[in-house]
Amino acid sequence: MIDTEELIDTLIDDNEEKLADLLSNLPDCKFQITSDRYKYPSFLESSEGAPIISISAYFGSEKCYQYLADTSEEIPAFHYHLFTYACAGGNMKIIRDVFSRFLDSLDFGSGSYSSAYIYPGYHAIHNGHFDVVKWIFLKGYKFSINEIWDLKII
């Protein structure tokens, strides 16, 4: 298990060499909160067990994300899609890459989710990434009434 503070510092610094060192002995490492020093956003708190690539997308760590995307054979399943983390983080380079690499696994608003909390559009709006909102809308994302209602924007 990787110390949360060390992982987040590495991702904020976007240091792919340090990330590679951290993961060298833990190839199937998942995100775990090991410190109560900080109050983490609820989305991160509910992300325990998420793949590290998802957390790197959330923090907008381009080099770390790219390293993990290039060295991973597949992205492990988790209850939030990698695209949701990318939209929450707002880094358009990562969003475009996830969209192109993992298009087959994206659900662009079919309404099959039980909660708006797992929709990529919800997190883009919630985190103020209106460039992301516009981009995913232009790519065919359909915002559900649950997303709009949960955000209380109508």
Side-chain angles (χ1 to χ4, degrees):
M1 184 177 341
I2 299 174
D3 177 68
T4 308
E5 292 178 39
E6 187 174 13
L7 175 64
I8 290 174
D9 287 346
T10 301
L11 295 175
I12 289 172
D13 293 341
D14 202 9
N15 186 338
E16 79 276 15
E17 292 170 4
K18 185 173 180 185
L19 182 64
D21 287 343
L22 288 173
L23 297 175
S24 64
N25 296 326
L26 305 162
D28 295 326
C29 185
K30 307 284 188 237
F31 178 70
Q32 297 296 321
I33 295 177
T34 59
S35 168
D36 60 358
R37 183 174 174 190
Y38 303 107
K39 177 158 177 44
Y40 298 99
S42 60
F43 187 54
L44 270 187
E45 286 182 354
S46 65
S47 294
E48 291 209 50
I52 302 299
I53 190 171
S54 298
I55 305 304
S56 69
Y58 176 79
F59 280 100
S61 308
E62 288 180 27
K63 290 185 269 183
C64 292
Y65 164 81
Q66 199 65 49
Y67 165 76
L68 293 167
D70 291 345
T71 58
S72 301
E73 291 181 23
E74 63 181 50
I75 304 306
F78 189 67
H79 54 265
Y80 304 128
H81 193 281
L82 174 59
F83 194 67
T84 301
Y85 286 95
C87 288
N91 184 309
M92 287 304 301
K93 186 174 180 180
I94 294 173
I95 290 167
R96 287 185 188 101
D97 188 74
V98 172
F99 184 82
S100 66
R101 282 187 200 231
F102 307 106
L103 182 61
D104 296 348
S105 65
L106 292 177
D107 178 357
F108 258 29
S110 68
S112 61
Y113 297 127
S114 60
S115 167
Y117 194 66
I118 60 178
Y119 281 104
Y122 172 91
H123 288 282
I125 294 168
H126 181 74
N127 290 292
H129 302 304
F130 298 111
D131 53 336
V132 176
V133 173
K134 178 182 174 184
W135 189 86
I136 64 175
F137 178 76
L138 292 173
K139 291 295 182 183
Y141 184 85
K142 293 175 180 47
F143 288 87
S144 76
I145 193 66
N146 289 340
E147 287 173 281
I148 296 166
W149 181 258
D150 284 358
L151 288 163
K152 298 179 182 31
I153 57 177
I154 59 170

